[in-house]
Amino acid sequence: MQRLLSARSMSAGGSGDTPGPGTVEPAAGPSIFSTTVAMTLTAAGEEVPPDVDPVSGATHPTTDSTAWSGLLRLTAAAARATGSIKAMASLAVARNLRTVRMSKSPRRARLRAAVQLAAMLGALLSGLLLLLQLMMGAHGGAGRVPFLGSVAMWRGNAAAAATSTLGVLPPPPALTIVAIVQRPDTGAMERLVRSLSAADYDGDVIDLALWVDLHTASVDEVASIGTSAAAALAGWSHGAVSLRHSTAATGPYDTHMHAVSAMDGMTARGQVLYVDDATEVAPSFYTWLRDARRSYGERPDVAGYSLESARVVRRGGSLGWEALPAEDAGTGSFLYQALPGVGAFSPQEYRDVAVWSTFADWLSARANSWYTFPVAPQHLVEPAPLFQGGNGTRAHWSAWFSVFARDYNLYVVYPPTTMEGTLAVGHRSGARRTAMLTAVGATAATPTTNVLRTAASGPASVPTAPLRWTVNGLPANEIDGGGGIVDGHALLSQTKVDEMVATAQAAGGVLSMTVVNEVFLETAHSWLCNVDGGGFRPANVVWATTDKVSRDALSRVAGTSTVYLDEMRGGKSTGHDFGNPGYWRLMLERTALLSALVHRGVRVFAFETDQVWLEDPTPYITARLGDGADVVGTINTREEISGNFFYLRPSLPTRRLFDEIVRRFAAAYTGARLDKQAATSWTYIENDQSILTKLVLRNQTFQTAYPVRFETLDQERFVDGRWYNPEEGFYASAVARQPVVINNNFIIGVEKKALRAKQWGHWFLRDDGTCDSAVVAKAVRSTAAAAEAVARDQERAAGTLSR
């Protein structure tokens, strides 16, 4: 799982002198917490290490639950006794020092003070030694001192226990449950842990982490909570357990945010489920969650999974918001673009989709708006005091998450309405999620606990094509984002997008795509001679053809795929030159296609066939992706991002970026009324390249609201068409005269592009349609040259390049 909500993103919360939700401060003044339950609770945000020998790497088995419970109680009692001795000795020392200051028997007072101070230090040392002895005893006299800041116990199944005995690290958990405990309701915590312990995990490894709110807790309460929490965990038999705490949270709102952000830095733990202590889960909750993840775990439109089945709410005319009629709701799991409750929620994390880290950045950009209510349907932002911060005015973060889901075309997976109340129910009367998500049959006379039951799960409850509802309670469009609408009609058909997605999935989710029509057919063949002769054809080349001639010709190219986008109207036969209406239509349709593909989770390497590849560009792109880029591209001599050579990682920032590009490009195309102009007319409009450049490089407002990481390739190695005009003064360096890729642009007309390429020895197709191997061999450099160049770049960046 990738980085979750960070403290940095939460730093603007709180009010007045109260620490914000991203601020972690220790409890004020001396606290028995540090001596009584330091071995039980860790500092907020601190990593809880596994119980592993730091030298051998072996995992040590722990004692049984009774021993651990007794150990914690004995430790607390010993620490309290030590604290009492310290307090009495401190009082005596203070009195004697006051006697010294008043000059009453100063010599005798100094002697008594020294003796009492020695006694106090001795008591503290004895207490510390007792703690160390107890902790070593808990590990069977292993003769080592474990990490004092936490307790992380391994209590796996028989197979895991066997690997532990053999000195092998336990397997990563299939799920880590983070239980958020609101002090001082330890009864709720015990009820939650009891229900979690009784669930059916089918032998899977499940870790449990308790996150305890210790804000304003007294010394005795801290000791009591720590002991109760350790006792609750002592019976956990499904995996590792750990306890963590917050001393700065100001209520349920902040505690949730602390618990989420504190998962940063933890070791491999599989997926994460956040559950608050007002929730009780059914024995079958894990079965449904596992089945849902198997069915939807790689859907790029999924934000996460809720164990509370929501009622989809939509506007009902004069009646305001009302629940979706039962006949419209369906009988299977469904997707809803809202998160009304957070009693039990598991975010989606896979490959290029990192929901929580993206939400962290998105929410951080809106920190100044936390004290207002987001623009969302009323039922999502209505006041809910139990989920507010100390000032009682700000909306719960789930309301912001609902807006985030709408912005990024994401949906939360919910259990079927027929299973409502069977997976998780809440015990906070009056809480918003209880009002919106009422358990079936639960009344004041019938406690919700009695409603929990084992529910049937399996394929029937997680349909392959679930219903999807927007945040406004309306059916979702067939294509979310990327499709593009012009004059009320979609630019692309779902069937064609599905065909390209299937092609990409068969090749590991990646495709190298270019749009080709009959006019560029010879250019495409010359490019093929180029990359095949150099031995660096990119992976999974897909020709997006717009006419039958190019489709038939390119279908015969071995090792490539061809998709016939017959609905694409741009550049069919005339008006294909830059600035013509047909050209802009083709570029708009191409941009919509790229957007649709990244929205479906496809990694796209977009290029054009009028380029010359003198070296393999793949190592350069891979290096930038390794730096965490969302988009890797090039910048031309006009300081614009080139629109004809880039790699798109289908992360949420990339998808949101292309949503905006398509929307603005379609608006410019429609506004210019190009469909009313002659095919050979010339017009300049805002386009994919200019909009991309503005949003990424020059529009700080957009970058702040929707941050995307763009990494540019070396401008002297990836050059534009001005490279062919050295007299203009561009690309004068020795490195630039040996480029990796040349974009044959800054010249209008396919014939002119081909003529210039031939003049420079960069046209590789003979008149008879065969490849000119001699010209290719003279122009290109080996793949090894690219790897060496990348290595030199990395050494130069690290300052280790030797002369």
Side-chain angles (χ1 to χ4, degrees):
M1 188 172 177
Q2 301 188 30
R3 183 177 63 86
L4 305 183
L5 288 177
S6 64
R8 173 180 61 83
S9 69
M10 300 298 113
S11 61
S15 61
D17 297 328
T18 303
T23 307
V24 177
E25 297 182 357
S31 172
I32 200 171
F33 174 87
S34 61
T35 55
T36 304
V37 289
M39 63 177 294
T40 307
L41 304 178
T42 65
E46 189 173 18
E47 181 175 347
V48 180
D51 193 13
V52 179
D53 189 290
V55 177
S56 67
T59 302
H60 294 268
T62 60
T63 59
D64 58 55
S65 60
T66 304
W68 264 104
S69 181
L71 171 63
L72 265 296
R73 289 189 175 88
L74 180 60
T75 301
R80 277 196 290 269
T82 303
S84 299
I85 295 172
K86 181 183 72 172
M88 290 186 291
S90 298
L91 180 60
V93 171
R95 287 177 177 174
N96 281 289
L97 291 178
R98 187 165 61 250
T99 300
V100 171
R101 288 194 300 270
M102 297 176 65
S103 301
K104 296 179 180 180
S105 305
R107 182 177 300 177
R108 185 177 300 175
R110 287 192 183 98
L111 180 61
R112 283 200 303 268
V115 172
Q116 291 160 353
L117 181 61
M120 181 183 70
L121 293 175
L124 291 175
L125 180 60
S126 299
L128 178 60
L129 291 175
L130 174 62
L131 289 174
L132 294 176
Q133 183 178 3
L134 289 170
M135 294 168 70
M136 287 188 291
H139 292 274
R144 72 184 188 91
V145 180
F147 183 71
L148 285 175
S150 67
V151 55
M153 298 177 288
W154 173 250
R155 302 183 183 281
N157 53 28
T163 61
S164 176
T165 304
L166 295 173
V168 181
L169 288 175
L175 181 71
T176 292
I177 301 173
V178 180
I180 302 170
V181 179
Q182 306 292 342
R183 191 201 63 80
D185 190 358
T186 56
M189 172 190 68
E190 292 166 357
R191 179 185 60 217
L192 170 60
V193 175
R194 186 166 56 247
S195 70
L196 289 170
S197 298
D200 178 15
Y201 297 107
D202 198 22
D204 289 347
V205 176
I206 309 295
D207 287 357
L208 176 62
L210 287 187
W211 181 266
V212 185
D213 176 11
L214 296 179
H215 179 64
T216 70
S218 66
V219 171
D220 290 338
E221 286 175 326
V222 170
S224 175
I225 293 168
T227 303
S228 298
L233 291 178
W236 188 258
S237 61
H238 308 288
V241 297
S242 58
L243 276 67
R244 307 163 72 79
H245 83 284
S246 167
T247 57
T250 59
Y253 181 99
D254 286 351
T255 303
H256 274 74
M257 303 315 294
H258 275 251
V260 172
S261 63
M263 293 302 292
D264 285 351
M266 287 189 68
T267 53
R269 57 191 178 278
Q271 301 292 341
V272 177
L273 170 69
Y274 298 102
V275 188
D276 73 35
D277 62 352
T279 301
E280 189 173 9
V281 301
S284 61
F285 90 88
Y286 179 71
T287 304
W288 176 83
L289 182 59
R290 181 193 60 194
D291 291 346
R293 282 198 178 278
R294 287 175 178 173
S295 296
Y296 310 137
E298 293 191 1
R299 280 188 67 119
D301 59 345
V302 169
Y305 306 80
S306 175
L307 299 186
E308 305 166 291
S309 186
R311 288 192 177 98
V312 178
V313 179
R314 66 186 181 192
R315 192 177 296 280
S318 60
L319 300 178
W321 293 93
E322 61 182 14
L324 192 72
E327 58 270 19
D328 294 341
T331 58
S333 298
F334 60 94
L335 278 60
Y336 187 21
Q337 204 171 50
L339 186 62
V342 293
F345 178 66
S346 180
Q348 177 89 308
E349 303 291 328
Y350 90 97
R351 204 164 57 186
D352 295 303
V353 177
V355 170
W356 276 113
S357 60
T358 307
F359 176 53
D361 294 337
W362 182 91
L363 189 59
S364 177
R366 289 154 180 79
N368 293 332
S369 301
W370 284 7
Y371 292 92
T372 63
F373 289 94
V375 180
Q378 183 180 358
H379 71 279
L380 297 175
V381 297
E382 60 188 3
L386 289 174
F387 280 108
Q388 304 303 322
N391 63 355
T393 59
R394 59 184 170 185
H396 186 247
W397 66 262
S398 62
W400 286 106
F401 188 88
S402 299
V403 178
F404 166 79
R406 181 187 62 192
D407 269 4
Y408 286 86
N409 292 294
L410 296 173
Y411 296 80
V412 177
V413 179
Y414 288 93
T417 53
T418 53
M419 294 170 64
E420 189 170 8
T422 64
L423 298 182
V425 295
H427 291 274
R428 281 199 186 99
S429 60
R432 170 161 24 110
R433 64 186 180 84
T434 303
M436 295 301 301
L437 312 172
T438 307
V440 173
T443 64
T446 306
T448 51
T449 303
N450 296 336
V451 181
L452 290 170
R453 63 184 184 276
T454 300
S457 187
S461 70
V462 281
T464 304
L467 297 175
R468 297 191 307 166
W469 305 96
T470 69
V471 71
N472 293 312
L474 301 175
N477 292 329
E478 196 174 46
I479 298 180
D480 267 348
I485 303 294
V486 173
D487 298 331
H489 300 286
L491 289 168
L492 303 169
S493 70
Q494 180 71 33
T495 302
K496 298 300 183 181
V497 175
D498 288 344
E499 186 178 347
M500 296 192 73
V501 170
T503 301
Q505 290 174 340
V510 180
L511 61 79
S512 303
M513 190 204 79
T514 185
V515 177
V516 181
N517 58 21
E518 182 180 358
V519 177
F520 281 90
L521 193 54
E522 283 194 345
T523 305
H525 281 297
S526 178
W527 176 86
L528 271 172
C529 294
N530 176 184
V531 297
D532 287 348
F536 39 71
R537 182 196 290 186
N540 193 25
V541 172
V542 176
W543 311 103
T545 60
T546 63
D547 54 76
K548 293 181 179 180
V549 173
S550 57
R551 179 199 63 185
D552 295 342
L554 295 174
S555 294
R556 293 190 289 270
V557 178
T560 66
S561 302
T562 303
V563 177
Y564 180 31
L565 300 177
D566 53 322
E567 75 273 20
M568 293 180 69
R569 293 162 41 196
K572 286 291 186 180
S573 57
T574 60
H576 56 269
D577 286 340
F578 177 83
N580 293 155
Y583 172 85
W584 291 128
R585 178 80 185 199
L586 181 62
M587 291 299 100
L588 174 57
E589 291 166 334
R590 171 181 176 270
T591 306
L593 177 58
L594 291 173
S595 185
L597 291 172
V598 295
H599 272 80
R600 296 287 298 276
V602 177
R603 286 191 168 207
V604 182
F605 177 27
F607 64 93
E608 292 182 2
T609 57
D610 60 354
Q611 296 164 358
V612 180
W613 292 15
L614 303 179
E615 194 177 299
D616 185 3
T618 304
Y620 298 90
I621 297 172
T622 302
R624 298 283 71 78
L625 290 172
D627 294 335
D630 296 304
V631 180
V632 177
T634 61
I635 295 180
N636 63 26
T637 51
R638 290 180 180 171
E639 296 301 317
E640 299 172 324
I641 297 176
S642 300
N644 54 8
F645 189 90
F646 46 71
Y647 191 104
L648 305 177
R649 190 168 64 87
S651 62
L652 296 182
T654 303
R655 286 153 54 177
R656 182 62 184 84
L657 172 66
F658 269 78
D659 270 344
E660 190 70 15
I661 294 172
V662 171
R663 186 187 66 80
R664 296 190 183 197
F665 196 175
Y669 179 86
T670 303
R673 299 177 61 85
L674 295 178
D675 56 330
K676 305 295 183 182
Q677 298 185 21
T680 56
S681 64
W682 192 97
T683 306
Y684 178 82
I685 63 172
E686 281 279 280
N687 54 77
D688 56 325
Q689 181 178 6
S690 64
I691 297 170
L692 174 63
T693 299
K694 287 182 178 179
L695 294 179
V696 172
L697 300 183
R698 294 163 192 166
N699 191 328
Q700 189 59 46
T701 300
F702 182 85
Q703 269 294 307
T704 300
Y706 304 102
V708 59
R709 181 163 180 177
F710 172 80
E711 292 283 343
T712 182
L713 297 168
D714 191 333
Q715 290 179 253
E716 294 198 326
R717 287 196 172 106
F718 294 81
V719 302
D720 62 35
R722 285 177 167 172
W723 184 90
Y724 289 112
N725 302 315
E727 68 278 2
E728 294 183 6
F730 299 100
Y731 306 118
S733 69
V735 172
R737 297 318 297 173
Q738 294 292 321
V740 175
V741 171
I742 305 174
N743 288 308
N744 191 0
N745 53 10
F746 286 96
I747 189 171
I748 298 177
V750 178
E751 298 82 2
K752 293 180 179 179
K753 289 174 182 287
L755 178 60
R756 182 163 70 177
K758 291 176 181 178
Q759 291 172 342
W760 284 83
H762 292 161
W763 187 262
F764 309 109
L765 186 69
R766 294 192 182 99
D767 293 339
D768 60 2
T770 61
C771 295
D772 193 330
S773 301
V775 176
V776 174
K778 184 177 180 181
V780 303
R781 297 184 291 276
S782 67
T783 301
E788 293 173 1
V790 171
R792 288 195 302 272
D793 286 347
Q794 293 173 338
E795 291 177 3
R796 186 179 295 107
T800 59
L801 183 65
S802 58
R803 295 181 180 276

